[in-house]
Amino acid sequence: MSLKRLCGLLLSCLLLMGMLGTPAFADGGNPNIDGGGGSMGQGTSTNFWNPGNDGVRITVVNSESGSAAAGPVDFSNRTQSGTIAHFGKVSKLSYRGGASLSLQSGVAYTCLKPKTAMPTIVSSGGRNNIDAIKRYFCSEYACMMVAEATGIGYEDLISGQYKLLIEPMVFFTYNGQYYAMTATEAALYDQMASGGLRSKMASLTHQNLPLALYLEYSDLGFPVWSGGASGRQSNTDIINALGLGIVWFDEVPDPPSIDAPDVQYRVDTDVITSITLSTGSRRTPDNPASVTFTIDGRRYRVDNIVIPAGDSQVVWVKWHTPSTPQRLTISVSVSGGSTAQTTFIADIVDLKEKVPPDPLATDTNPSYSVPSLPSNSQKTTAHWGVWDCYWVPDWDWCDHGEDGGHWVDNGDWEYSYDSYSASITGTMELMPDDIVPTAEGKSMKSGYGVKVDVTTRLTTNSPSSHYTYTQTALSVFPEFQYQTYLRLLERTSGGMNAVFNFRENEFSTYNRRVHFTPVWFPDKTKYTVYTQVWDTWTPDGMLSVNLNDYVAIDKSLFDDWYTNRE
């Protein structure tokens, strides 16, 4: 490592020390990591975890795009069996992007053992040593270990173009089967098992594993953890915000602005605002919890919430945003429970169409080069659930001797967890306009118009009160480097299968639903339009999907005007 580079890293670490109040970390990266935990219960012969049988999954992430550049790679201080049940090497980024949980039957599991042992990642009681974890993964040794495992050169890894996404893992026995799971995988698996994993391994999978690592401030699209450092956590909170730490190799990032909103919505849009409600004592139909949302002068009350003791669930309200841009304060009051945040700042923004200028036949751009497609995050799946409570009678005869007797119901309330999910898929077809005279399939001359059909499909097992239909789509274009100008698409068909098209173009003589390609666009290249589809809201946040398609440019419309004269 060069002296200049080392000094730069040391300076970043010293800045971090001043900001976080933790020791400086020489030689390597800078941590966005904190952790917690609590006491563990006792296991059984078929459901148990041996303390120290933990590890991490590390993914190298492109700092600019936020997408995975290499990995994931698993590390553990203990040698792990290749026959362990596992879900493949899938990162939290991929699960957030819509990857589904899939047990790898017959696929051998691989896990590397560091030559220099890692500190304890998942504590068996109380909090782990977060300072030791920071020192280890910010060290030159750990960076070189990751570089070797992922095939990225060490100098490239620490150059500032990458970050390390670190997820805690545990290796444990559940129902007699030996598993490897990250915190996110444990939460997703528990959703599939309708709470079965949590019912037997909650102290591990829903407390000490997810709380082993979490963020001190938002990064890579993951939020800062604002909940407690102990206690059993909900699947939703684990999937969204727990079980991850980040190491970066650049200047210390700016702290979030105190004026930054908690959430952003579009004007005149159906949205869902949600919180996670926790309770120490059980809530039944006899003494349910309730939540009241106050939004823009209106109150929305959610009643009859039932939750087992020490558990939680998401609670939400579906509402329609104002028609004008503004900043709203959303307040939440809770009866019979608690939530991490009771006030939210919401920015209601007007996503105005920025219509590209009228293209002219005299336009030129000799220095133009075709840009790469944008790389924006998307969320294509959502998971949430609701507790139900029902009475299970247990009739006993109360004998009064000679006076007879009577039956007494000594039953009790029992709970079931109803799991819900939603997913969005989309297709995009970009084609020459129907009136382009010389188009052939997806091939056309530059200067003519293109049309678009964007179709999305929403799939869910939940009632309609749990979601909104897809409402917003916008397209950006390569001649503007996918910046500056955008076209808001018009939803021409709604419901579970929504269709979006270009609006009528004000520069079209025939009011066609088109976008005109520039006449100067390079020949023999693909003209690719990029579309983002937003505003499908669920209790687990907004679903979104990114799409693109192209037409092939072959010559220009001037070639249709050319007359060959002998």
Side-chain angles (χ1 to χ4, degrees), residues 40-368:
M40 299 282 287
Q42 298 296 317
T44 68
S45 59
T46 56
N47 298 281
F48 64 91
W49 172 67
N50 293 320
N53 201 7
D54 57 5
V56 293
R57 176 166 295 168
I58 298 181
T59 307
V60 180
V61 182
N62 184 286
S63 298
E64 183 175 348
S65 67
S67 58
V73 181
D74 292 355
F75 297 91
S76 175
N77 290 334
R78 299 187 182 182
T79 301
Q80 301 297 333
S81 169
T83 59
I84 189 173
H86 65 102
F87 303 100
K89 301 294 177 61
V90 184
S91 75
K92 196 175 185 77
L93 284 171
S94 297
Y95 287 123
R96 183 182 65 185
S100 58
L101 198 66
S102 176
L103 190 64
Q104 302 298 293
S105 177
V107 179
Y109 175 71
T110 58
C111 185
L112 302 180
K113 185 176 181 180
K115 294 179 181 179
T116 299
M118 300 181 291
T120 297
I121 306 299
V122 180
S123 172
S124 60
R127 298 189 63 169
N128 54 13
N129 188 340
I130 195 64
D131 288 342
I133 293 174
K134 289 179 178 180
R135 282 193 295 270
Y136 184 91
F137 289 106
C138 291
S139 69
E140 183 177 8
Y141 167 77
C143 296
M144 294 183 72
M145 178 182 74
V146 173
E148 181 179 357
T150 59
I152 293 181
Y154 173 69
E155 291 296 335
D156 289 335
L157 183 68
I158 66 172
S159 65
Q161 61 180 314
Y162 298 113
K163 297 180 180 181
L164 302 184
L165 173 64
I166 303 173
E167 302 178 62
M169 297 186 66
V170 287
F171 307 89
F172 65 100
T173 298
Y174 168 63
N175 285 346
Q177 173 67 58
Y178 191 42
Y179 284 93
M181 292 189 196
T182 65
T184 303
E185 288 170 339
L188 291 171
Y189 185 82
D190 187 60
Q191 289 180 334
M192 293 175 57
S194 298
L197 179 61
R198 181 188 181 97
S199 68
K200 295 181 172 67
M201 306 292 293
S203 294
L204 175 67
T205 60
H206 287 70
Q207 178 177 258
N208 286 23
L209 172 59
L211 289 173
L213 301 178
Y214 50 80
L215 300 185
E216 296 179 295
Y217 43 85
S218 301
D219 197 3
L220 295 180
F222 294 105
V224 59
W225 173 239
S226 57
S230 63
R232 298 175 182 182
Q233 307 301 318
S234 69
N235 289 324
T236 298
D237 279 346
I238 295 171
I239 294 168
N240 289 341
L242 290 172
L244 77 157
I246 295 172
V247 173
W248 78 96
F249 305 94
D250 205 343
E251 296 179 359
V252 175
D254 294 331
S257 169
I258 59 175
D259 295 326
D262 296 295
V263 65
Q264 186 182 86
Y265 301 122
R266 257 67 55 195
V267 298
D268 198 24
T269 303
D270 290 327
V271 299
I272 288 176
T273 300
S274 60
I275 60 140
T276 297
L277 180 68
S278 303
T279 179
S281 58
R282 70 175 188 169
R283 294 295 159 181
T284 70
D286 291 334
N287 62 338
S290 66
V291 176
T292 300
F293 298 84
T294 303
I295 306 172
D296 198 21
R298 294 187 59 185
R299 299 179 66 188
Y300 304 83
R301 183 179 173 90
V302 184
D303 288 314
N304 301 317
I305 303 169
V306 293
I307 304 177
D311 220 309
S312 62
Q313 77 164 56
V314 65
V315 180
W316 68 92
V317 59
K318 184 176 176 181
W319 59 288
H320 195 81
T321 63
S323 59
T324 57
Q326 55 192 279
R327 171 164 284 194
L328 293 179
T329 298
I330 299 174
S331 61
V332 181
S333 61
V334 173
S335 174
S338 62
T339 187
Q341 187 173 356
T342 57
T343 301
F344 300 86
I345 303 300
D347 273 356
I348 314 298
V349 300
D350 191 355
L351 186 62
K352 293 182 178 179
E353 186 173 29
K354 299 178 181 177
V355 178
D358 185 13
L360 303 176
T362 55
D363 290 342
T364 61
N365 194 349
S367 61
Y368 175 82

